[in-house]
């Protein structure tokens, strides 16, 4: 699926698909915690409502991060299917194998990622 012979594409794909399944399971599990908080003045005190709102916001942020990671995984799997995996989006050079093993979803080589982070 890629012209890179140094990449174990099957192993990386398995890792990505496993991580995708984990993220979807966590998302499903935390759905109730992201629902709007009831602000019934009679049922709970002010501090309990504040705690509930804070917990809701934490779960919403976790869901946002999960969604972003799922998007990166889906884009990576698409790049794998289109024989574009392992090459930098900006310069087209090969992404270092150790970088891909650490984060299989990275679309940039070290040099391009460094330039982007300094902008």
């Amino acid at each position: 699926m890629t012209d890179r012979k140094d990449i174990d594409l099957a192993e990386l794909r398995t890792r990505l698909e496993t991580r995708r399944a984990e993220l979807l399971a966590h998302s499903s599990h935390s759905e109730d915690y992201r629902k709007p908080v009831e602000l019934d003045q009679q049922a709970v005190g002010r501090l309990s409502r504040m705690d509930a709102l804070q917990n809701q916001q934490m779960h919403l942020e976790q869901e946002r991060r999960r969604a972003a990671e799922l998007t990166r995984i889906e884009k990576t799997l698409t790049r794998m299917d289109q024989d574009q995996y392992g090459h930098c989006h900006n310069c087209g050079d090969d992404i270092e194998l150790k970088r891909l093993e650490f984060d299989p979803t990275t679309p940039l080589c070290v040099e391009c990622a460094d330039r982007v982070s300094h902008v």
Side-chain angles (χ1 to χ4, degrees):
M1 298 244 177
T2 183
D3 60 347
R4 301 263 315 258
K5 304 297 182 217
D6 59 333
I7 297 175
D8 185 351
L9 207 57
E11 189 271 332
L12 290 177
R13 180 178 288 279
T14 300
R15 279 180 52 196
L16 290 170
E17 289 171 348
T18 300
R19 181 64 182 150
R20 177 175 54 186
E22 290 170 357
L23 291 168
L24 291 172
H26 284 294
S27 181
S28 175
H29 174 71
S30 71
E31 191 172 345
D32 286 340
Y33 297 107
R34 297 186 313 267
K35 290 182 180 176
V37 175
E38 287 290 325
L39 297 179
D40 182 3
Q41 298 288 338
Q42 305 303 324
V44 295
R46 185 171 62 99
L47 292 178
S48 295
R49 283 191 308 279
M50 289 173 54
D51 282 343
L53 288 169
Q54 183 179 17
N55 283 334
Q56 177 201 36
Q57 290 302 311
M58 288 189 317
H59 284 285
L60 287 170
E61 177 59 20
Q62 288 172 346
E63 182 62 19
R64 186 195 65 76
R65 290 179 186 202
R66 275 193 292 271
E69 187 174 353
L70 281 169
T71 299
R72 287 192 311 271
I73 289 171
E74 293 301 330
K75 288 180 179 181
T76 300
L77 292 171
T78 299
R79 284 195 311 272
M80 286 179 173
D81 292 339
Q82 297 174 347
D83 296 334
Q84 298 172 353
Y85 185 72
H87 303 287
C88 180
H89 274 258
N90 286 350
C91 68
D93 288 346
D94 287 353
I95 299 172
E96 188 176 329
L97 181 59
K98 286 185 179 184
R99 182 170 173 80
L100 290 173
E101 288 172 345
F102 178 76
D103 180 6
T105 65
T106 189
L108 302 174
C109 67
V110 172
E111 292 80 17
C112 290
D114 190 45
R115 279 194 295 266
V116 170
S117 70
H118 285 95
V119 173

